């Protein structure tokens, strides 16, 4: 999924940051990639000079123009990371809730439920508060499913990033 996010990262130790944006790109569950778009928001804090704590939520809407119809994939992540003046990198667990079309090797259908997984993100600021953000989420989808025998979903996002600080 390609993202047009607004993410915040502070240059000082006691600041918190707010983020919001819109994403566009792909979600893969099973053998088929699905186009998706949707909003996301986040909050981050510097807990030490270079140590960062983040909470991020992204709701991806699978577009109804594809075979299988519309769907929703929402994940929330809690992460820790390392920050510097022109960027940051973070990783942590990411629970998700989903209702979307998916295809296995021989069968397509709808999947719904909750999943757990991991989230990793890197932001690099190249012109003041403007930069590039790249993140990936991999979730384990449990249960027994003929539609999704691989038990995994992947969301990959990249795009411009804008940061704001709140003291």
């Amino acid at each position: 999924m390609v993202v047009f996010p607004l993410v915040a990262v502070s240059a000082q130790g006691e600041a918190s940051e707010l983020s919001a944006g819109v994403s566009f790109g792909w979600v893969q569950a099973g053998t088929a990639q699905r186009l998706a778009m949707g909003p996301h928001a986040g909050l981050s804090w510097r807990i030490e000079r270079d140590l960062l704590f983040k909470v991020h939520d992204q709701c991806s809407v699978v577009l109804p123009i594809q075979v299988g119809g519309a769907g929703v994939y929402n994940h929330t992540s809690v992460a820790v990371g390392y920050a510097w003046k022109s960027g940051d990198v973070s990783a942590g667990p990411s629970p998700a809730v989903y209702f979307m079309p998916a295809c296995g090797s021989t069968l397509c259908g709808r999947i719904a439920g909750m999943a757990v997984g991991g989230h990793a993100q890197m932001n690099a600021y190249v012109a003041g508060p403007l930069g590039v953000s790249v993140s990936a989420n991999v979730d384990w989808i449990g249960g027994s499913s003929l539609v999704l025998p691989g038990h995994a979903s992947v969301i990959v996002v990249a795009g411009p990033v804008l940061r704001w600080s709140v003291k």
Side-chain angles (χ1 to χ4, degrees), residues 13-98:
E14 291 135 14
S16 61
E17 297 78 38
L18 300 172
S19 65
V22 177
S23 64
F24 176 77
W26 62 270
V27 175
Q28 182 164 349
T31 59
Q33 293 180 359
R34 307 278 180 186
L35 290 175
M37 66 182 310
H40 66 92
L43 184 59
S44 61
W45 300 268
R46 293 260 182 133
I47 53 179
E48 288 291 331
R49 183 171 164 250
D50 297 333
L51 189 59
L52 187 66
F53 176 76
K54 286 186 172 185
V55 177
H56 186 261
D57 186 78
Q58 181 164 352
C59 182
S60 300
V61 177
V62 175
L63 301 176
I65 60 173
Q66 302 163 91
V67 175
V72 175
Y73 199 101
N74 190 84
H75 66 86
T76 301
S77 60
V78 177
V80 293
Y82 178 78
W84 59 97
K85 183 178 178 180
S86 62
D88 65 78
V89 61
S90 61
S94 176
V97 176
Y98 57 90

Side-chain angles (χ1 to χ4, degrees), residues 2 12 27 48 66-67 75 104 114 132 153 162:
V2 176
Q12 297 184 358
V27 175
E48 288 291 331
Q66 302 163 91
V67 175
H75 66 86
M114 296 176 69
V132 177
S153 67
L162 182 61

Side-chain angles (χ1 to χ4, degrees), residues 107-135:
L107 185 64
C108 290
R110 298 194 75 72
I111 57 173
M114 296 176 69
V116 293
H119 167 82
Q121 183 173 19
M122 181 176 169
N123 299 319
Y125 300 100
V126 295
L130 184 62
V132 177
S133 178
V134 177
S135 70

